[in-house]
Structures are given as C-alpha cells and as structure tokens.
Amino acid sequence: MAESFVDLHCHSTASDGTFSPTEVVRLAKECGLSALSLTDHDTIAGVAEAVVEAKLLGIDFLPGIEISAEYPHPGTMHILGYGVDPESGKLKKLTDTLIAGRDNRNPRIIAKLQQLNVAITMEEVENEAGGQVVGRPHIAAILHRKGYVSSIKEAFNKYLAQGAPAYFDKERLTPKQALEMIRQCGGLPVLAHALQLHTDNDGQLDRVVKDLVDLGLAGIEVFHSDHNPEWIAKCEKLAAKYKLLKTGGSDFHGTNKAHIHLGMARGHRVPRELFDQLKAACAAAARPPLVRP
Ligand code: AMP
Ligand code: ZN
Ligand code: FE
Ligand code: FE
C-alpha cells in the first residue's frame, strides 16, 4: 500500500486558527492526508462540523482538544486530549470553565494595551475571534492589521508574550487536573510540543515526563513544527522508555502562524500508523472494563 500521512494537531476558527473546521478538512484532503485530528484550544466546538466534512471527503477523523496546564515560566505545558466524547457533560463543564478563564484575562490585556495607547476594543477582539474561544493570536492579528506591529510574532514579542507589557496569565488546570479531566471525558492525554517546556536538560525533561506518566499520561507528541531532529529523538526515547503512544502534527493555525503548513511538522510528515495506534488506544480506553464475576 502507498505511504499515507496524517495530521494530529491543528486549530480552526473554533479557537485561534483562521480556517473554519470545514476548510481545515478540505485542506487536509488537498494535502493528501488520510486522517486528521482537530485540537482546538479549550473547545470541541469545531468537531461536529469537521466530522461531517471528513465523512464527505473520506478522511478518518479523531476529536481532540488542547489544554494549557500550570507550569513555571518561561515554559508552557500543553496537553492534547484525543478521543474525548463530544457528548460528555463533563467536557462541556470543563470547556466552559477554561473559556471563563480566558474571558477573565482578555479584558485585562485590552485595558493594558489601551493604556499603552493602542486603539483596540474588546468588541473588535470578539469579532476577530468569531467563536467562544478568544486568544492572544486574535489580538495579535488586530495589532498587525492596524499597523502597530509588522507581524504576529512581533505582536507577541512587543506586547503579548510572557514578560511583555500586556501579558496576563489565565487560570489554568494543574497538570494532574488536566490529565484527569481528559480521561474523565473519555479521552487520552498526550504531552504536546515538549520543547516548549523549556527544560534545562534531559534529566529535567525526563522527570517532568515521568511525573506526567505517573498521573496518567498516555502519549507524547514526537513530530511538531517546533521539533528539530534532536527533539524528535528525545521524544522517541521517552516514548520507548515510558511506553507512551507517539503522535505528531503541524500545529496549523492558518494565517495566524503562516509559516506552518497542514500535514508538515518541520519538514516531516506524520505516518498513518501513529493515527491508527492512537485511535485504537482511544477505542480501548473508551470501552468499559471487563467485569469479572
Ligand atoms: P492564549 O491561548 O490566548 O494564551 O494564546 C496561545 C496561542 O498563542 C497559541 O497558539 C500559541 O502558540 C500562541 N503563542 C504564544 N506565544 C507566542 C509567541 N511568542 N509568538 C507567536 N505565537 C505565540
Ligand atoms: Zn493556538
Ligand atoms: Fe500548544
Ligand atoms: Fe496547538
């Protein structure tokens, strides 16, 4: 059989991507991908639409979500949740809470920008976002369009990134809560882009991953647009050591991260077998355990 490729990490307009869920699936088809997982931040609002288009185009699909967990500066810890049950009441409650955390943070960013003489309103930001999940890339896109910065990247560096003047943190789950919540919602938790943890050395990275494994981590993202061959090798090694599922994806955000292309993770394509193994593991996790008499 011909080689087949997938993308297990991408964002739509349901969070901070610029392509609708339908458009992301169409693009996946155009790129020749055979399977896709949509992993919007803090929401599965895009999943229903993506499922319909994926069926239509004959692309296999797995629902996903990406959640940010508490982690010391300057690192960030993102946990992907695969195979979460879109009907789960717990998931609805979880996403409502995460979105409330954003709604609490975003007006503070805007107030600070206004103090810095940037002409921007919450209303503009909400219009830019379109959906319920309003994130910093939406604010960055407005700053870019209005000419305050020459790129999205500069908007982060100058205003929005950790350490910049208009940075405000949002309420996050602890790693333990994030892993537990994903499992309670029928999903499998996977550590995203381990490079972004900004660990000082391999020993520290190992300890962080081991702690997550003890809390129920099921997989690690090996291929990602931030991962060079060295990071791919580190993550492969951790996957083997802790018997973790391996995943990979582009982290496509449309024009909010224009250098990232769907189906490509820093020059690597993601082999189909990673999707098949992940999907099988999600199905096994969702089955009720055998009850022995
Ligand atoms: P938020 O969820 O609103 O906190 O924003 C997180 C989003 O902003 C994610 O898509 C990140 O990849 C993106 N982001 C965070 N820091 C930067 C940065 N320095 N440059 C570009 N994008 C960033
Ligand atoms: Zn994003
Ligand atoms: Fe992320
Ligand atoms: Fe992402």
Side-chain angles (χ1 to χ4, degrees), residues 53-71:
E53 191 66 14
K55 265 204 186 114
L56 206 67
L57 299 180
I59 288 186
D60 291 319
F61 186 82
L62 187 62
I65 189 165
E66 183 174 21
I67 293 173
S68 175
E70 279 177 15
Y71 191 75

Side-chain angles (χ1 to χ4, degrees), residues 32-275:
L33 303 182
S34 66
L36 187 74
S37 181
L38 187 65
T39 52
D40 276 307
H41 302 279
D42 301 349
T43 188
I44 51 135
V47 162
E49 186 185 313
V51 166
V52 170
E53 191 66 14
K55 265 204 186 114
L56 206 67
L57 299 180
I59 288 186
D60 291 319
F61 186 82
L62 187 62
I65 189 165
E66 183 174 21
I67 293 173
S68 175
E70 279 177 15
Y71 191 75
H73 180 83
T76 51
M77 179 186 280
H78 289 182
I79 307 290
L80 296 157
Y82 289 107
V84 285
D85 171 12
E87 304 297 321
S88 155
K90 276 216 159 107
L91 184 60
K92 167 87 175 74
K93 225 174 129 189
L94 171 65
T95 55
D96 284 351
T97 305
L98 297 172
I99 290 167
R102 289 175 177 277
D103 291 346
N104 185 24
R105 173 200 66 172
N106 292 329
R108 292 195 277 162
I109 299 179
I110 299 311
K112 181 71 192 188
L113 286 172
Q114 288 167 349
Q115 267 180 31
L116 296 168
N117 293 321
V118 174
I120 187 167
T121 65
M122 240 351 267
E123 198 185 347
E124 282 175 293
V125 177
E126 278 159 10
N127 287 339
E128 178 72 27
Q132 273 194 306
V133 174
V134 181
R136 285 177 289 162
H138 299 123
I139 301 170
I142 295 172
L143 296 178
H144 181 218
R145 199 166 52 239
K146 290 190 162 182
Y148 289 102
V149 290
S150 59
S151 67
I152 302 273
K153 188 91 215 153
E154 193 192 336
F156 273 88
N157 291 341
K158 195 167 166 191
Y159 294 109
L160 301 169
Q162 284 187 36
Y167 175 78
F168 291 89
D169 207 354
K170 59 183 186 295
E171 284 270 329
R172 287 163 213 272
L173 301 183
T174 64
K176 181 169 189 276
Q177 287 171 326
L179 297 179
E180 281 174 2
M181 287 309 299
I182 288 168
R183 287 205 177 255
Q184 284 173 19
C185 296
L188 288 180
V190 170
L191 176 64
H193 43 63
L195 164 138
Q196 290 183 18
L197 295 167
H198 286 273
T199 41
D200 291 331
N201 52 54
D202 288 354
Q204 194 193 359
L205 174 65
D206 188 293
R207 282 192 297 281
V208 173
V209 171
K210 163 136 196 342
D211 287 348
L212 292 175
V213 169
D214 290 343
L215 295 170
L217 189 74
I220 185 164
E221 189 169 55
V222 173
F223 301 103
H224 181 271
S225 293
D226 284 348
H227 282 186
N228 62 15
E230 187 192 339
W231 272 91
I232 293 172
K234 283 185 209 280
C235 293
E236 294 258 16
K237 207 167 139 193
L238 288 163
K241 179 170 177 183
Y242 293 112
K243 299 190 169 43
L244 294 169
L245 290 159
K246 297 190 287 181
T247 72
S250 60
D251 213 350
F252 177 72
H253 280 72
T255 57
N256 278 344
K257 291 189 185 178
H259 61 290
I260 294 177
H261 301 283
L262 194 69
M264 292 305 294
R266 229 189 214 235
H268 289 269
R269 303 226 268 169
V270 180
R272 166 81 197 199
E273 66 193 47
L274 300 196
F275 174 84

